[in-house]
């Protein structure tokens, strides 16, 4: 990422939505950006794993886990798969696990928190649909930027 989100917002203002939700920086890259891909799921990370195992082309996967901290949607193996497949980052409206391992991987990871509990693996959810997190709509194909200051997405 070559421009800070604060500077980008100063330049583009109303063309962008700013996520007010406070997320933790948990991956090895704090600043990342790319086209939006999405998964909507609840306590089931099978679709997250499936999507991150495909070529990412420097995209950012936005995972709407409904804000649940009851089980992790991304762990070290799934994040390592994202690195191998060229994803820029993952934004999780929910929990991750394996914090220490994620911090050592060259990928952006933002999430609400962590929980060592595994999630279900049933494949329940939706892929590449618009998801709304804290009033901000993440539409597949739009661009998202993330850094230490927060998350911006094209309207």
């Amino acid at each position: 990422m070559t421009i800070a989100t604060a500077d980008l917002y100063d330049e583009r203002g109303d063309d962008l939505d700013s996520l007010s939700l406070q997320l933790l920086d948990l991956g090895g890259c704090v600043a990342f950006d790319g086209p939006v891909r999405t998964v909507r799921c609840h306590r089931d990370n099978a679709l997250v794993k499936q999507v991150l195992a495909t070529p990412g082309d420097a995209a950012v996967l936005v995972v709407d886990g409904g804000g649940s901290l009851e089980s992790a949607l991304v762990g070290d193996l799934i994040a390592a798969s994202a690195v191998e497949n060229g994803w820029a980052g993952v934004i999780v409206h929910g929990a991750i696990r394996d914090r220490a391992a994620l911090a050592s991987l060259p990928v952006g990871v933002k999430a609400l928190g962590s929980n060592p509990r595994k999630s279900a693996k049933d494949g329940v959810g939706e892929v590449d649909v618009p998801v709304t997190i804290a009033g901000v709509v993440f539409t597949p194909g739009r661009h998202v930027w993330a850094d230490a200051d927060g998350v911006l997405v094209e309207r």
Side-chain angles (χ1 to χ4, degrees):
M1 192 163 118
T2 58
I3 186 168
T5 57
D7 294 336
L8 185 63
Y9 191 84
D10 289 349
E11 286 179 16
R12 298 191 47 195
D14 291 338
D15 293 338
L16 304 170
D17 277 324
S18 175
L19 185 65
S20 62
L21 186 66
Q22 300 299 294
L23 299 171
L24 300 173
D25 288 306
L26 300 164
C29 296
V30 172
F32 56 97
D33 71 293
V36 171
R37 297 277 313 273
T38 65
V39 169
R40 180 184 295 127
C41 57
H42 181 71
R43 297 190 64 193
D44 184 332
N45 72 349
L47 291 176
V48 175
K49 180 179 180 180
Q50 178 183 346
V51 171
L52 291 174
T54 64
D57 299 320
V60 175
L61 184 64
V62 178
V63 180
D64 182 4
S68 174
L69 297 173
E70 296 173 16
S71 62
L73 296 174
V74 174
D76 61 343
L77 298 177
I78 291 175
S81 175
V83 171
E84 290 172 21
N85 287 294
W87 290 83
V90 184
I91 298 171
V92 182
H93 186 219
I96 57 88
R97 62 188 241 156
D98 303 312
R99 285 175 77 143
L102 265 60
S104 71
L105 294 173
V107 65
V109 179
K110 285 186 172 282
L112 291 175
S114 62
N115 187 330
R117 175 183 279 167
K118 290 182 179 183
S119 70
K121 312 282 189 246
D122 299 323
V124 176
E126 299 173 279
V127 175
D128 288 330
V129 296
V131 298
T132 303
I133 300 171
V136 173
V137 179
F138 292 86
T139 303
R142 300 260 171 95
H143 206 88
V144 63
W145 296 264
D147 65 11
D149 282 334
V151 176
L152 296 174
V153 66
E154 287 178 320
R155 288 189 175 174

